Amino acid sequence: MSNSNPVLEVHDLTVSYNKKPVLWGVDFSIDQGNLVGIIGPNGAGKSTLIKSIMGLVDKSAGFSKVFGRDLKQVRNKISYVPQRGSVDWDFPATVFDVVLMGTYGKLGLFKRPKRAHKEAANNAIKSVGLQGLEDRQIAQLSGGQQQRVFLARALAQNAELYFMDEPFAGVDAATEKTIIEILKNLKNQGKTVLVVHHDLQTVSEYFDQVILLNTRLVAFGDTDKTFTENNLQETYGGKLTLLSEIRNLMAKEEMPSREK
Ligand code: ADP
């Protein structure tokens, strides 16, 4: 794996809340065109990792670089999709407004959106299957539809690097399928996508690489070599129900591969 020009480098990153470290000495780097899962138990620091790379929480030590530069110089090449629950969905805005706002990073300050921006927003809305709902207030959407709005907004932004915090949380199977197809499509266009993910059953199917995190970086690398029972045990510690789930999962993986 060549890391000569990584899209994202994280060096010795430590983040603390109230002096308690929640990330400790985390190091990894990601090359362009990978779809990467960030995996670990609740409270492992997954959201914090993304927020600290995005400059939303302070680092106690270490640093990160995006496209070899400081975040501020490349912010408009990065799209961040936060957890759905972290947003006030009662805010009065339509689906179209929220998606169009995704293009604002490319607009100069105080410039009005042009036809091209509106077109980008409409295309993004179509690609997530929300056409017909453009004028709907975002408060009046299902959880799956809200997640699709987030994704459309990120697509309209036309970024190079995407961070998505639990895009599959609380969505139905059809929405999950739409989202993963869009993420794979982004990756096939040479974009780089990092996704906080909880469902261990789908990790091998979805991700090229995994970051296994539990305050410290337990392991990082290609999914087939890194997503192993030993590494999962180390990541999830002594959580027994989960360990039996992992064993079932590994047993399943030894069966002949399913048709895709
Ligand atoms: P994950 O995304 O893996 O569930 P988080 O990054 O959200 O983990 O949280 C890591 C730890 O930091 C948890 O123990 C959480 O309670 C704590 N934490 C997260 N955000 C804050 C905050 N703003 N202030 C204090 N503690 C926080």
Side-chain angles (χ1 to χ4, degrees):
M1 192 168 47
S2 121
N3 268 346
S4 48
N5 277 315
V7 167
L8 171 67
E9 294 162 71
V10 172
H11 292 283
D12 198 24
L13 177 68
T14 297
V15 177
S16 306
Y17 293 117
N18 309 318
K19 297 194 179 151
K20 184 174 171 273
V22 299
L23 283 178
W24 185 267
V26 172
D27 262 299
F28 62 88
S29 69
I30 308 275
D31 286 340
Q32 190 196 339
N34 281 299
L35 181 47
V36 184
I38 305 175
I39 317 285
N42 288 331
K46 303 182 294 297
S47 294
T48 302
L49 173 65
I50 295 182
K51 287 180 189 163
S52 70
I53 295 166
M54 291 303 296
L56 301 171
V57 298
D58 290 339
K59 302 170 174 73
S60 327
F63 64 95
S64 55
K65 275 189 185 176
V66 192
F67 303 103
R69 315 177 77 156
D70 191 74
L71 174 83
K72 290 188 199 89
Q73 297 170 305
V74 286
R75 199 182 278 275
N76 69 358
K77 287 178 156 187
I78 309 169
S79 177
Y80 166 51
V81 178
Q83 284 184 17
R84 183 161 52 89
S86 68
V87 165
D88 176 12
W89 289 97
D90 288 331
F91 187 80
T94 65
V95 168
F96 184 75
D97 293 336
V98 172
V99 176
L100 184 66
M101 276 185 257
T103 65
Y104 283 11
K106 303 253 189 279
L107 285 174
L109 205 55
F110 305 123
K111 293 222 181 91
R112 289 166 64 83
K114 295 214 173 68
R115 198 163 53 176
H117 298 109
K118 292 185 179 169
E119 217 172 275
N122 276 321
N123 287 339
I125 286 170
K126 268 200 207 106
S127 68
V128 302
L130 282 180
Q131 62 274 34
L133 293 178
E134 291 85 350
D135 298 327
R136 177 84 63 93
Q137 290 291 319
I138 54 166
Q140 292 160 6
L141 296 172
S142 71
Q145 288 168 335
Q146 289 176 338
Q147 199 66 61
R148 286 172 188 244
V149 170
F150 262 176
L151 193 61
R153 182 189 153 102
L155 292 176
Q157 205 176 333
N158 195 21
E160 294 299 322
L161 171 63
Y162 291 81
F163 294 103
M164 308 213 171
D165 202 342
E166 297 198 37
F168 304 114
V171 306
D172 60 22
T175 302
E176 175 149 348
K177 194 155 179 275
T178 306
I179 295 176
I180 192 63
E181 272 169 15
I182 288 171
L183 300 188
K184 287 191 170 173
N185 210 8
L186 286 172
K187 161 212 146 94
N188 290 336
Q189 293 167 35
K191 316 239 173 181
T192 310
V193 187
L194 276 77
V195 181
V196 173
H197 190 59
H198 268 296
D199 178 14
L200 298 178
Q201 308 273 350
T202 47
V203 168
S204 298
E205 189 187 332
Y206 287 180
F207 301 111
D208 306 315
Q209 295 188 310
V210 285
I211 293 168
L212 298 180
L213 196 67
N214 193 348
T215 307
R216 292 168 188 271
L217 181 74
V218 175
F220 162 68
D222 293 347
T223 307
D224 53 355
K225 296 192 190 74
T226 313
F227 191 66
T228 61
E229 181 167 352
N230 278 349
N231 282 340
L232 285 173
Q233 280 192 10
E234 206 182 317
T235 309
Y236 285 88
K239 296 189 180 159
L240 288 172
T241 48
L242 214 123
L243 286 182
S244 61
E245 202 179 292
I246 292 167
R247 287 205 184 93
N248 288 339
L249 177 69
M250 295 300 168
K252 223 187 258 174
E253 301 228 314
E254 280 157 19
M255 291 181 354
S257 68
R258 284 174 289 163
E259 273 186 59
K260 294 249 162 92

